[in-house]
Amino acid sequence: MLRARPNLKNKLSATLKSWLPILQSDPLEIEETLLNCAKDNPFVRVQSGMRTDFSSHKFYKPPKNALGDQIERLSVRPKSLHETLNEQLLPPLFPTPMSLKIATDIIENLNPEGYFEGDTQAQALNLGVEVADYEKVRQRFAYLDPPGVGACNLLESFAFQLAQHEELDTPTYELCARILKDLEQHQQHRHHPLYAKAMQVITSFKNPPALEFGESLPPIIPDILVLEEDGDISVQLNEGYYPKVVLEQGKIAADNGYLKEKLKEARDLVDALQMRHQTIQKIGLMLVEYQYDFFKGGAIKPMRLVDLAEEFGYAASTISRAISNKYLACNRGVFAIKSFFATALEGDVSNAAIKEFLLELINKEDKQHPMSDLKILELVEKQFGLKMVRRTITKYRKLLNIASSTERKKLYGMALDLT
């Protein structure tokens, strides 16, 4: 097993104050953390890792243009839903000051998904307009982008989106409109010659309408790269994004205690950054050792923070800080490091293995007769030889964003009708 070198542990007491915040920072935060630690220190210069040549940074098998897109996301703020809609409040849809006033009020009453959540009657009364006039303006949102915005519910959003399909011939458009009036009973139209075409249009609609305006997540930059070449696995740090601490050391008078202390702090900061690199590198090596089967295509095995902490000679809380907001990239994707610490259910069975098996069951299930949670429970217990309760399966299914058997049957039905 891997062991932490004693000198790393001995340095911990001298640099603990700066080491822990640096250890906990992710690649997008570490520069700011170092700048805070180096504040007012004349011997320290923090050299940014985010403003140097991005072409030299390493990422595990990046898709084409991914790095350029990532840089753009870091420097360009996309327009919000409200900004996008306000730019469209123009004639001929909104030709009068009153129509603009109503439209602005509607925008202010949209939820983040793009649905109208206001009380039409109350909003009209507040603006001093007729309810019919307020509603007339809201209906004009059917012609704005994103399609479906301003609707009160899912079916109205679909109707708004249908209104923008000007390319449809009249019979197909009318069939789509009839299906939307009772979408759950869409199969009653299956013998119509245009049914497949109409369902292709309807299944292309977005829900929620403002999907692309959802809160954008910051780019994920993994700290650890697990690379495989010719069957051999290696672990590297993604150091291309790391800032560097440069010592600007000059001559110090023997009696200048203040500058001597600042120089010591500067050296401690260099040591702290180096210790961060060493700690994360060792965590990567330990993960590959414990979870080797996963990196070869298998399931995640149970792994406890305390086991890793004992190997390092640190407290479990220190290791917890070390993996907080950290990610690992390998040939199976990008994973939060904390996801490798799967909870053991019984023996060598982890909850991650259960979830993976559940996904496999759903992918292979009979589309005409989807499995209930009870049936999945029976198969899981048989596969892993353990006892569970149905609500655990239900919880895992929901965590995996898998619909219930009843909902899946409806979804499968819609898909099969198009074949």
Side-chain angles (χ1 to χ4, degrees):
M1 300 295 286
L2 299 171
R3 303 284 177 184
R5 284 180 290 187
N7 66 327
L8 180 62
K9 186 178 179 182
N10 292 336
K11 281 185 179 180
L12 180 59
S13 58
T15 58
L16 182 63
K17 185 176 179 181
S18 55
W19 182 69
L20 289 179
I22 291 171
L23 180 64
Q24 193 166 3
S25 299
D26 66 34
L28 291 177
E29 299 169 338
I30 189 170
E31 182 176 333
E32 183 178 355
T33 302
L34 288 171
L35 287 170
N36 287 333
C37 292
K39 189 166 53 178
D40 301 326
N41 193 318
F43 299 106
V44 176
R45 177 169 57 87
V46 178
Q47 182 177 312
S48 175
M50 299 299 288
R51 300 193 184 100
T52 53
D53 179 11
F54 279 85
S55 64
S56 67
H57 292 181
K58 293 182 180 180
F59 190 85
Y60 188 80
K61 293 184 178 179
K64 189 177 181 181
N65 297 327
L67 193 54
D69 293 343
Q70 187 179 72
I71 297 170
E72 185 175 352
R73 286 199 302 272
L74 288 170
S75 57
V76 180
R77 183 183 70 84
K79 291 180 182 178
S80 69
L81 175 63
H82 285 196
E83 289 171 335
T84 301
L85 291 172
N86 279 312
E87 288 179 353
Q88 300 175 68
L89 301 187
L90 303 168
L93 285 177
F94 310 101
T96 66
M98 183 52 69
S99 64
L100 284 173
K101 188 175 182 180
I102 295 173
T104 301
D105 188 75
I106 291 169
I107 292 173
E108 290 175 354
N109 282 277
L110 297 179
N111 67 18
E113 294 184 335
Y115 287 110
F116 178 71
E117 288 191 329
D119 183 322
T120 302
Q121 194 165 13
Q123 297 304 126
L125 181 63
N126 185 53
L127 294 179
V129 300
E130 296 293 328
V131 173
D133 291 335
Y134 191 98
E135 182 62 17
K136 187 185 299 182
V137 173
R138 190 180 69 82
Q139 291 296 320
R140 296 175 195 169
F141 275 62
Y143 303 97
L144 300 183
D145 287 324
V149 72
C152 291
N153 52 52
L154 173 65
L155 289 181
E156 187 179 45
S157 173
F158 282 3
F160 278 17
Q161 293 181 59
L162 177 62
Q164 296 203 20
H165 278 265
E166 298 177 353
E167 80 286 356
L168 292 178
D169 56 84
T170 301
T172 304
Y173 186 95
E174 291 178 346
L175 178 59
C176 288
R178 289 202 301 274
I179 291 173
L180 288 179
K181 288 181 179 179
D182 190 5
L183 186 56
E184 287 193 4
Q185 302 300 321
H186 66 88
Q187 291 188 11
Q188 65 182 326
H189 303 283
R190 65 185 306 164
H191 298 299
H192 193 290
L194 296 173
Y195 172 76
K197 183 177 179 181
M199 289 303 295
Q200 285 177 343
V201 172
I202 291 171
T203 54
S204 71
F205 294 160
K206 291 185 300 181
N207 178 43
L211 184 64
E212 70 265 32
F213 290 91
E215 182 179 354
S216 58
L217 297 175
I220 292 176
I221 300 175
D223 270 276
I224 299 172
L225 307 177
V226 177
L227 310 175
E228 183 172 359
E229 186 174 352
D230 298 328
D232 295 326
I233 294 179
S234 63
V235 176
Q236 295 181 13
L237 290 182
N238 195 13
E239 294 182 282
Y241 287 97
Y242 291 171
K244 293 179 174 60
V245 176
V246 181
L247 285 184
E248 306 248 350
Q249 187 171 345
K251 290 186 177 180
I252 303 175
D255 59 346
N256 196 325
Y258 172 79
L259 290 181
K260 284 184 176 181
E261 181 63 26
K262 287 297 180 182
L263 180 58
K264 179 182 181 302
E265 290 177 4
R267 288 170 175 165
D268 285 346
L269 190 61
V270 173
D271 287 343
L273 185 60
Q274 182 60 30
M275 287 171 66
R276 179 192 193 275
H277 296 357
Q278 292 177 7
T279 303
I280 294 176
Q281 173 82 11
K282 289 177 182 294
I283 288 173
L285 292 170
M286 297 291 289
L287 285 173
V288 170
E289 184 173 350
Y290 274 99
Q291 303 288 358
Y292 186 81
D293 289 344
F294 170 82
F295 294 108
K296 286 295 187 178
I300 293 177
K301 293 181 179 179
M303 185 176 180
R304 300 182 307 162
L305 275 174
V306 67
D307 295 330
L308 198 61
E310 288 174 357
E311 292 294 331
F312 279 89
Y314 297 154
S317 60
T318 300
I319 299 299
S320 179
R321 288 187 179 97
I323 67 172
S324 176
N325 300 317
K326 304 293 192 305
Y327 292 83
L328 175 152
C330 64
N331 61 0
R332 298 185 68 175
V334 179
F335 300 88
I337 293 178
K338 66 180 180 181
S339 67
F340 290 93
F341 294 87
T343 304
L345 295 176
E346 188 172 319
D348 291 329
V349 179
S350 70
N351 54 11
I354 300 289
K355 291 176 185 177
E356 190 169 319
F357 181 66
L358 193 156
L359 275 173
E360 184 180 348
L361 289 176
I362 297 297
N363 288 334
K364 295 179 179 180
E365 73 179 345
D366 183 349
K367 303 299 187 285
Q368 299 288 347
H369 302 93
M371 289 179 286
S372 66
D373 288 352
L374 278 174
K375 180 60 178 177
I376 294 173
L377 172 63
E378 177 186 330
L379 294 173
V380 167
E381 290 182 338
K382 182 178 179 181
Q383 172 73 13
F384 295 99
L386 50 79
K387 296 299 294 181
M388 297 175 65
V389 292
R390 183 181 60 81
R391 64 175 176 272
T392 302
I393 296 297
T394 303
K395 180 184 76 173
Y396 287 171
R397 176 175 56 74
K398 289 180 178 179
L399 287 172
L400 293 168
N401 199 27
I402 297 173
S404 66
S405 56
T406 303
E407 293 169 334
R408 295 202 306 277
K409 187 171 184 179
K410 290 179 182 178
L411 293 171
Y412 290 149
M414 292 182 68
L416 290 171
D417 288 335
L418 298 179
T419 60

